[in-house]
Amino acid sequence: MRSFLTLGLLLCAAGAQAQAFKPEEIARWQQQAKQISVVRDNWGVPHVYGKTDADAVFGLLYVQCEDDFARVEDNYITNIGRLAEVQGEAGLYNDLRARLFLDSTQAIAIYKKSPAWMKQLLDAFAAGTNYYLYTHPTVKPKLLTRFEPWMPLMFSEGSIGGNISVVPLERMKAFYGQRKSTSWINNDFEKLDREPVGSNGFAIAPAKTATGHAMLLINPHTSFYFRPEVQVTSEQGLNAYGAVTWGQFFVYQGFNPNCGWMHTSSNADSMDEYLETIEEKDGKFYYRYGKKLRPVQVQKMSLAYKQDGKTLRKEFTTYRTHHGPVVGQQADNKWMTVRMMDTPLEALEQSYLRTKATDYASFKEVMKLNGNASNNTVFADSKGTIAYWHGNFMPKRDPSFDWSQPVDGSNPKTEWQGLHKVEELVQVHNPVSGWIQNCNSTPFTVSGPSSPSKQQYPMYMAPDAENYRGINAVRVLSRKQVFTLDTLIAAAKDPYLAAFQELIPALASDFQSVSDGTNPPQGEVVEAMKLLRDWDKRYSKTSVAQTLAIYWAERLQRLARGRVPADQKLDYISFTSFTIRNTNPQEKVTALQETLDELTRDFGTWQMPWGEVNRFQRLTGNIEETYDDQKPSLPVAFTSSAWGSLAAFGAKTQPGTKKRYGTVGNSFIAVVEFGPRIKARSVLTGGESSSPNSPHFTDQAALYCEENFKDVLFYPEDVRQHAEKTYHPGEL
């Protein structure tokens, strides 16, 4: 009876789901699915093969939904501005921000005008996702029961967060929520209180490799499980392997048989804030431009949100000038607008077409679309070329203005003067040093002595500061004469923590000063100080000194953070110097004693090896993971990139835990050699699947935690040899 009832419920659910789709489109999807093969290898990695690029996109979206539909849906709920329909009123300003810059009406219009080849891919995106929902009736979406082909135009870059994420929600709430606060400090300092996200990219020229072939390191740092590992292939020349952001139909960081591309988050200034001088006349708003007043564009916007099981709506009156939407207010008559890249079709075209590039020349040609607004690019190809571009979408501006601050919107001289050509960007091409690195840091150390000269470029092109990862990368790559895949992996996980090169000597000096005083430290704190003095500043699972150093430095930085002037901008390196200067000797020593007390209270002893407190754990596969000290976890040696750890593992205590669990850092990692035949190795955080019932939920976790890699199966014969399952989409 139970089996019969279960079957009946499934059939009813299938019927209800089927009613959402028309018979003719279901028949079309079923026919297209027959042209697509999926091979899951022994790590669960999907290798998608289609006759056309559209077939491959169909299959790619289908397998992504198989592995983690929740994240596919969540990305689109966020990017199309419907978060409040799931989260409630708290999500309204996320939705408002998204729709101020691009709404579905605009995206639909762009879709209709897209070239035929792009329309085919967009249609295939929707078909593959919807076919998954049709064939999996027990899957219950939170909101999106049908995916539309215009949706990827609102999610056209693979970067975490995207461009609009830099527009502060609190600023928008103050304006559109009609709060009394009308000013703010434009200060990046708060980001120092968060775990850094970004990426590392290395490229090695043939002259510095044992085989004479160029090599590439792909090492994004994101929130865990942000991207799965895939291969997508068609008979129309597509053959890309790498990391794809959930719900997107292009490999964001990866390689094909001819070249590879690695994106690192950039501070290249691709967007600007304008202060608009507002005047009100007869109940209407105008903004000054030159000697004239222009009417502010006004639009009513109705946003849905969920409350107590009901769908309600909130009305907003939104404003914009020719610079962009109004996102805040700085003074009584100064409204702030933001101008940024607003060419989603070009962005999506570039994101896809670069995966089919064949060499440096063709990759550079794709970059002329100027559709990448938030990332740098590290590149290598099979012809032996290595290259780097700092940013891509780069407006030309009058260099006499400080573009790091809001500029006067009434002054016509602050207008953009077109875009810089790709040739004008900060870049390197086959540097004499034989290597390239970028770790979200300045491009002016990207190739050691072969780096570009800062004086040759306007300040807005590369305001990025140096960071401790960049320092470590230059040190590692400079000292090695010949690289193999193994030594490139070793370079990527060099354990030196450069930040402590300053912090520990400062503590030691101040500790000595306090020791020479009238109330010298005694007992365990003296023993702890000796461990820190003797520490080699390299991470290790067994290092007690590393535990002491990180807990102590975090505590000291919390103390210093409250002393930073509100208008002072600090990067990670300058904040370290500020912390050293603005804490006195006794405070540094007291922070060490408090660290010992904290560790003893939490673990019964302060002598805790780092691997005992720094753990990897995956229990549920939910977007919001849970953690439990009483359940299995794995030790991890590497640590936060804030300290210079090239291999990044951002961990913190979670609700109810004493140990720290990683949530952000190394995700998909790969090393690639571009010879006549691709050789590559990779590892993924945890595993390919989000289901705890899958054998591929945590099958890569041990590799990941030990910083080891698996062989990439790139060629069909290798994939077949290690095939676990072969099927067409829709087959159970």
Side-chain angles (χ1 to χ4, degrees):
M1 177 64 73
R2 184 178 301 166
S3 298
F4 179 79
L5 180 60
T6 302
L7 177 60
L9 291 173
L10 285 172
L11 290 174
C12 289
Q17 183 68 60
Q19 291 173 12
F21 304 115
K22 298 176 182 178
E24 56 268 27
E25 61 186 353
I26 296 168
R28 188 169 62 249
W29 300 337
Q30 290 171 333
Q31 184 61 37
Q32 188 169 13
K34 294 176 182 178
Q35 301 179 170
I36 303 160
S37 293
V38 178
V39 183
R40 294 275 185 175
D41 67 25
N42 55 317
W43 294 100
V45 174
H47 303 259
V48 179
Y49 302 95
K51 288 187 177 182
T52 66
D53 283 10
D55 292 337
V57 166
F58 181 112
L60 176 59
L61 266 297
Y62 184 91
V63 299
Q64 286 186 57
C65 291
E66 284 187 305
D67 287 333
D68 202 330
F69 175 77
R71 281 182 168 83
V72 172
E73 184 189 21
D74 190 69
N75 279 341
Y76 279 98
I77 289 172
T78 300
N79 283 279
I80 68 175
R82 297 184 64 184
L83 194 62
E85 294 177 60
V86 175
Q87 290 188 352
E89 197 169 4
L92 275 172
Y93 286 94
N94 284 278
D95 295 346
L96 179 63
R97 180 174 65 183
R99 297 201 203 181
L100 279 174
F101 289 94
L102 183 68
D103 64 23
S104 59
T105 302
Q106 295 166 298
I108 291 169
I110 295 169
Y111 163 74
K112 290 179 178 179
K113 295 179 181 179
S114 297
W117 69 269
M118 177 55 76
K119 267 190 176 178
Q120 291 170 1
L121 301 185
L122 291 167
D123 290 343
F125 152 84
T129 314
N130 289 330
Y131 189 52
Y132 169 80
L133 288 176
Y134 169 71
T135 56
H136 292 75
T138 59
V139 171
K140 300 301 180 186
K142 289 186 290 187
L143 181 68
L144 302 178
T145 57
R146 173 183 283 272
F147 286 74
E148 301 292 347
W150 51 264
M151 287 180 174
L153 289 162
M154 298 185 73
F155 187 29
S156 54
E157 282 196 88
S159 183
I160 190 165
N163 295 331
I164 66 169
S165 64
V166 304
V167 177
L169 292 177
E170 287 302 316
R171 180 186 300 176
M172 292 183 57
K173 289 179 183 178
F175 183 78
Y176 287 108
Q178 299 179 339
R179 295 182 182 180
K180 293 182 179 180
S181 174
T182 58
S183 64
W184 62 86
I185 299 298
N186 187 16
N187 191 339
D188 289 336
F189 179 69
E190 67 274 6
K191 72 182 181 182
L192 300 178
D193 197 25
R194 305 193 303 266
E195 177 61 29
V197 294
S199 301
N200 301 337
F202 298 169
I204 311 297
K208 297 204 72 172
T209 67
T211 59
H213 303 141
M215 293 182 180
L216 182 69
L217 166 73
I218 300 169
N219 183 197
H221 298 164
T222 67
S223 53
F224 288 175
Y225 324 116
F226 187 73
R227 298 188 180 105
E229 182 175 357
V230 303
Q231 183 178 22
V232 56
T233 306
S234 83
E235 295 175 14
Q236 293 182 321
L238 176 66
N239 187 5
Y241 192 109
V244 58
T245 304
W246 295 108
Q248 294 187 319
F249 61 78
F250 53 86
V251 171
Y252 178 64
Q253 292 158 317
F255 56 93
N256 63 35
N258 303 297
C259 63
W261 54 97
M262 170 60 208
H263 298 301
T264 60
S265 299
S266 179
N267 281 324
D269 190 356
S270 64
M271 56 188 292
D272 287 312
E273 297 170 319
Y274 289 87
L275 290 179
E276 312 285 9
T277 302
I278 302 297
E279 295 186 20
E280 186 175 1
K281 293 184 177 181
D282 300 324
K284 296 182 179 180
F285 292 109
Y286 298 83
Y287 67 102
R288 184 163 296 283
Y289 189 71
K291 297 181 179 180
K292 297 182 178 181
L293 289 177
R294 293 183 175 184
V296 174
Q297 300 169 46
V298 181
Q299 181 181 3
K300 297 288 186 181
M301 189 177 294
S302 177
L303 300 182
Y305 66 97
K306 181 180 178 182
Q307 181 173 298
D308 299 328
K310 298 179 180 179
T311 298
L312 306 178
R313 304 197 74 87
K314 186 174 180 65
E315 303 293 328
F316 291 93
T317 301
T318 65
Y319 307 94
R320 69 172 54 239
T321 72
H322 73 285
H323 291 128
V326 176
V327 298
Q329 183 172 349
Q330 193 170 55
D332 288 343
N333 70 332
K334 297 289 185 182
W335 290 3
M336 177 173 285
T337 57
V338 169
R339 187 174 185 185
M340 63 173 65
M341 184 181 77
D342 60 353
T343 54
L345 177 59
E346 287 82 354
L348 195 55
E349 288 177 330
Q350 182 169 336
S351 293
Y352 185 78
L353 289 174
R354 65 178 168 234
T355 70
K356 299 184 74 171
T358 57
D359 56 12
Y360 171 78
S362 62
F363 193 93
K364 184 177 178 181
E365 193 65 26
V366 173
M367 288 193 68
K368 291 180 181 179
L369 287 166
N370 294 308
N372 188 346
S374 60
N375 298 284
N376 312 312
T377 304
V378 183
F379 174 88
D381 71 18
S382 60
K383 295 180 179 178
T385 298
I386 63 171
Y388 174 81
W389 294 272
H390 197 74
N392 177 230
F393 177 88
M394 181 56 58
K396 287 184 179 179
R397 299 133 162 142
D398 184 335
S400 65
F401 293 94
D402 180 4
W403 294 95
S404 69
Q405 299 297 319
V407 294
D408 183 2
S410 69
N411 187 346
K413 291 183 178 180
T414 62
E415 290 297 326
W416 289 358
Q417 302 159 18
L419 298 178
H420 283 282
K421 296 179 180 179
V422 173
E423 292 78 11
E424 297 171 340
L425 301 175
V426 183
Q427 61 193 279
V428 292
H429 175 241
N430 289 334
V432 174
S433 64
W435 53 265
I436 291 169
Q437 65 81 27
N438 185 260
C439 301
N440 316 117
S441 53
T442 173
F444 304 119
T445 59
V446 72
S447 297
S450 304
S451 301
S453 171
K454 188 174 185 178
Q455 287 68 38
Q456 294 179 358
Y457 301 94
M459 179 66 72
Y460 61 75
M461 269 195 175
D464 313 66
E466 185 61 277
N467 63 34
Y468 290 117
R469 278 182 292 133
I471 289 172
N472 201 16
V474 169
R475 180 183 65 85
V476 169
L477 296 176
S478 296
R479 69 186 185 186
K480 192 76 177 176
Q481 295 304 310
V482 178
F483 284 90
T484 64
L485 284 181
D486 287 332
T487 56
L488 183 55
I489 291 172
K493 61 181 184 180
D494 183 88
Y496 190 67
L497 302 179
F500 292 105
Q501 187 172 345
E502 300 173 73
L503 285 163
I504 298 303
L507 172 60
S509 175
D510 283 0
F511 192 89
Q512 187 60 50
S513 173
V514 172
S515 297
D516 292 340
T518 57
N519 188 24
Q522 302 291 329
E524 61 183 15
V525 72
V526 175
E527 183 182 351
M529 190 66 240
K530 183 179 187 307
L531 279 176
L532 289 170
R533 282 197 182 101
D534 294 341
W535 182 40
D536 61 4
K537 303 175 186 64
R538 285 167 168 77
Y539 64 66
S540 165
K541 288 187 294 185
T542 61
S543 176
V544 174
Q546 180 183 353
T547 307
L548 296 175
I550 290 174
Y551 273 69
W552 167 79
E554 290 173 343
R555 182 177 293 275
L556 196 70
Q557 286 186 340
R558 287 195 295 270
L559 180 64
R561 192 169 287 116
R563 300 173 181 178
V564 178
D567 59 349
Q568 186 170 353
K569 287 190 173 185
L570 296 173
D571 55 65
Y572 286 97
I573 293 179
S574 59
F575 181 45
T576 296
S577 299
F578 180 92
T579 298
I580 292 170
R581 292 193 313 271
N582 290 276
T583 53
N584 63 45
Q586 187 58 59
E587 286 174 328
K588 292 185 179 70
V589 175
T590 298
L592 180 57
Q593 180 62 65
E594 289 172 348
T595 294
L596 303 184
D597 295 342
E598 177 186 358
L599 290 168
T600 301
R601 180 183 68 249
D602 288 347
F603 303 107
T605 175
W606 60 265
Q607 295 174 319
M608 291 293 293
W610 180 244
E612 290 299 309
V613 299
N614 193 55
R615 313 290 290 186
F616 172 88
Q617 187 177 72
R618 191 182 196 190
L619 298 177
T620 69
N622 296 334
I623 294 175
E624 296 296 329
E625 185 60 85
T626 58
Y627 302 89
D628 190 334
D629 284 343
Q630 305 307 312
K631 293 183 178 179
S633 61
L634 295 172
V636 177
F638 47 109
T639 185
S640 169
S641 62
W643 311 120
S645 184
L646 287 171
F649 189 80
K652 60 183 181 180
T653 56
Q654 303 292 334
T657 76
K658 300 296 186 184
K659 296 181 180 180
R660 298 172 170 221
Y661 296 93
T663 59
V664 61
N666 276 10
S667 48
F668 170 78
I669 317 146
V671 290
V672 193
E673 180 182 316
F674 293 96
R677 185 177 175 87
I678 289 288
K679 293 181 181 178
R681 298 176 192 164
S682 69
V683 68
L684 191 67
T685 313
E688 186 74 24
S689 174
S690 66
S691 171
N693 297 321
S694 169
H696 305 300
F697 182 60
T698 55
D699 58 337
Q700 296 187 53
L703 290 177
Y704 174 87
C705 294
E706 293 295 333
E707 301 181 274
N708 293 324
F709 289 60
K710 64 186 185 296
D711 289 331
V712 164
L713 304 172
F714 187 74
Y715 294 97
E717 59 271 24
D718 296 327
V719 174
R720 285 193 298 268
Q721 186 178 350
H722 296 85
E724 185 177 85
K725 182 181 180 183
T726 302
Y727 59 102
H728 301 294
E731 294 178 350
L732 300 180

